[in-house]
Amino acid sequence: MTTRRDILDWCDHTLQTRLFQDYAPNGLQVEGCDEVAKIITAVTASRAAIDYAAGQGADMLLVHHGMFWKNEPITITGWKKQRIATLLQHQINLAGYHLPLDAHPELGNNACLAKRMGWQTDYACGEQNLLHIGRPDQVETLSYWAGELMQKLGRAPVVVGDEAMQIKKIAWCTGGAQGFFQTAIDEGVDAFVTGEISEAQYHLANETGVAFISAGHHATERYGVRALGQALAQAFDVSVHFFDEQNPA
């Protein structure tokens, strides 16, 4: 028998949640049944993911993007009511791990993206050490790496920069980390990869000569929660399945 507490304690210890200042609670967000035999993992606690977990008879939905974000209305109405009502009806535990899952050196989104792309992390820096600085496994052009991202993540990236430039030093942070671009520039990289781009980064890339690649928030963050689920399946007698969505953002 595996209990909810077993799963949560393992995740808190493994991901070192106490070390992070986050924008949403890490750990249990909606309480369900006490015992856990089946876990569904997903990037986001969307209605689609919750409905899928209910249809699969899951005891826990484990996500990267949970609910109850700062600066979000606290009332449980509308779409939030519908999500929570389904979780409670089916006694599904909702657990979310945000920045701790981005940062973990093996299971984290940044580590998993690097492994998928063949990038070597030299060090981490920036806010809560979320920005990774490293080297690709081979020196190729910006155009080449844009193509590799499209092939391996299944989404065409937005690329700003000279496509013929050679990428020798690279920075990355998955998700919505476009605000880290200046820090990446200050670290002397040739290119920065994240999930989203805002208007200002276009100009900054053109004026500094550092390439900016927006590879998709969802697309860059599929792999951490999947790796976390696989690790749980090895640590406990639980069934774990990953639910994906075709989210272009």
Side-chain angles (χ1 to χ4, degrees), residues 52-237:
Y52 180 82
Q56 294 294 310
D59 306 302
M60 177 176 285
L61 176 61
L62 179 64
V63 299
H64 177 50
H65 300 139
M67 293 195 285
F68 311 110
W69 298 91
K70 290 181 180 178
N71 303 319
E72 181 181 86
I74 62 173
T75 53
I76 300 175
T77 58
W79 61 267
K80 186 176 288 187
K81 175 197 170 187
Q82 296 301 320
R83 291 185 187 182
I84 294 173
T86 302
L87 290 166
L88 294 177
Q89 178 186 353
H90 295 275
Q91 297 192 69
I92 300 171
N93 294 285
L94 173 63
Y97 294 93
H98 186 229
L99 296 184
L101 187 55
D102 286 322
H104 193 273
E106 295 179 6
L107 305 176
N109 285 315
N110 284 327
C112 289
L113 179 63
K115 182 178 180 179
R116 191 167 186 84
M117 297 304 302
W119 301 337
Q120 173 67 45
T121 299
D122 292 332
Y123 60 95
C125 63
E127 181 183 341
Q128 302 188 72
N129 281 330
L130 291 169
L131 180 65
H132 282 216
I133 310 294
R135 295 161 284 111
D137 59 355
Q138 57 193 70
V139 177
E140 296 286 354
T141 64
L142 175 62
S143 177
Y144 171 87
W145 284 114
E148 286 292 288
L149 282 161
M150 181 169 63
Q151 179 181 354
K152 293 181 178 180
L153 303 187
R155 179 191 183 278
V158 176
V159 181
V160 184
D162 179 2
E163 294 189 355
M165 69 184 296
Q166 297 286 305
I167 306 301
K168 300 177 181 178
K169 186 176 182 181
I170 192 168
W172 64 94
C173 184
T174 66
Q178 59 267 55
F180 289 179
F181 191 26
Q182 183 61 59
T183 304
I185 293 169
D186 294 341
E187 293 298 318
V189 303
D190 302 307
F192 174 57
V193 178
T194 187
E196 298 183 12
I197 185 170
S198 298
E199 192 270 350
Q201 283 82 55
Y202 169 81
H203 304 291
L204 201 55
N206 282 332
E207 294 171 24
T208 62
V210 177
F212 188 101
I213 303 178
S214 169
H217 195 136
H218 179 87
T220 58
E221 296 197 323
R222 282 191 184 104
Y223 307 103
V225 73
R226 185 183 292 181
L228 180 62
Q230 291 170 346
L232 281 168
Q234 293 177 352
F236 298 98
D237 183 21

